[in-house]
Amino acid sequence: MNWKDTTDQYGFISRFNHWFAALIVITMVILGLYFNSLPDGDARSYWAGWHVNLGGLFFIYLLFRVFWRAFTRSPKAFEQPQPFKFLSKLVHVILLTCIAIMAISGPMLLFSNGYDLNVFGWFTIPSPIATENHDLHELAEEIHKTTGTVLWVTIIVHVLASLKHLITNNGAVMHRIFKSYPKS
């Protein structure tokens, strides 16, 4: 088993990062969409709490995932027309950028309201902001909401592109993210 990526395949760390982060991000997006659809009250607070706690729990991991991909050499791109290569790279950059922005803007929503980030009562990430800052809170809220929308749309594009690869090249691209060895 290769732990690191090679020119032909993704290593175990990249494959784990991909699927675990996908699970976390999709869960966070669904929770965010769900609790924001609820009226103010106990149910909304309950699900918002889960969203915040899970976000706090996976904050460092998600940033690690972004930096791992940014500073690890990916396998060489499959041959395809140049516009598709460009779009593939663009979608991945947008996904990673959105994850980084969400991981920062989410806690900033609490910090700018004067709260620390208490994660399930297990540990606390102290606020770097001394007092409540309404303008910063409004900015963080708009950034988090807009980035969440961009992230959701980009996830859909990413899944559709994966299906396209599955159909058009016998799954060779997909094989690299599912298996630890090149498809023969």
Side-chain angles (χ1 to χ4, degrees):
M1 170 190 322
N2 288 332
W3 287 88
K4 290 185 164 186
D5 299 351
T6 67
T7 57
D8 296 325
Q9 63 192 349
Y10 288 102
F12 175 80
I13 295 170
S14 289
R15 285 181 292 110
F16 177 83
N17 283 343
H18 178 273
W19 293 110
F20 190 56
L23 176 67
I24 293 166
V25 168
I26 289 169
T27 300
M28 293 296 291
V29 169
I30 289 170
L31 280 173
L33 290 171
Y34 179 67
F35 87 77
N36 276 307
S37 72
L38 297 173
D40 287 340
D42 290 343
R44 181 182 175 109
S45 295
Y46 175 81
W47 291 110
W50 270 98
H51 180 82
V52 168
N53 280 288
L54 288 174
L57 185 62
F58 293 115
F59 171 79
I60 298 297
Y61 170 73
L62 289 174
L63 290 179
F64 166 75
R65 192 269 183 260
V66 169
F67 284 104
W68 175 266
R69 181 49 45 219
F71 296 108
T72 302
R73 172 174 254 151
S74 297
K76 65 184 178 203
F78 273 91
E79 284 305 314
Q80 58 183 340
Q82 191 59 36
F84 287 118
K85 283 184 185 179
F86 172 77
L87 289 172
S88 174
K89 187 74 163 171
L90 179 63
V91 165
H92 286 95
V93 167
I94 291 171
L95 284 170
L96 293 174
T97 301
C98 285
I99 291 169
I101 291 170
M102 296 295 280
I104 293 167
S105 63
M108 193 56 62
L109 287 167
L110 289 174
F111 299 154
S112 61
N113 260 346
Y115 300 114
D116 295 333
L117 176 52
N118 185 322
V119 181
F120 292 112
W122 299 339
F123 62 91
T124 299
I125 300 172
S127 174
I129 301 170
T131 61
E132 185 177 344
N133 184 325
H134 178 74
D135 292 338
L136 180 58
H137 181 80
E138 292 297 317
L139 177 63
E141 190 171 49
E142 188 60 37
I143 289 170
H144 200 70
K145 181 180 177 181
T146 302
T147 304
T149 301
V150 171
L151 179 60
W152 190 237
V153 169
T154 308
I155 288 169
I156 292 169
V157 169
H158 181 64
V159 169
L160 291 174
S162 298
L163 292 173
K164 175 249 181 211
H165 282 298
L166 186 63
I167 293 166
T168 61
N169 61 13
N170 294 328
V173 172
M174 299 293 290
H175 197 271
R176 295 194 314 179
I177 200 66
F178 283 107
K179 299 287 184 181
S180 61
Y181 51 87
K183 185 176 182 182
S184 49

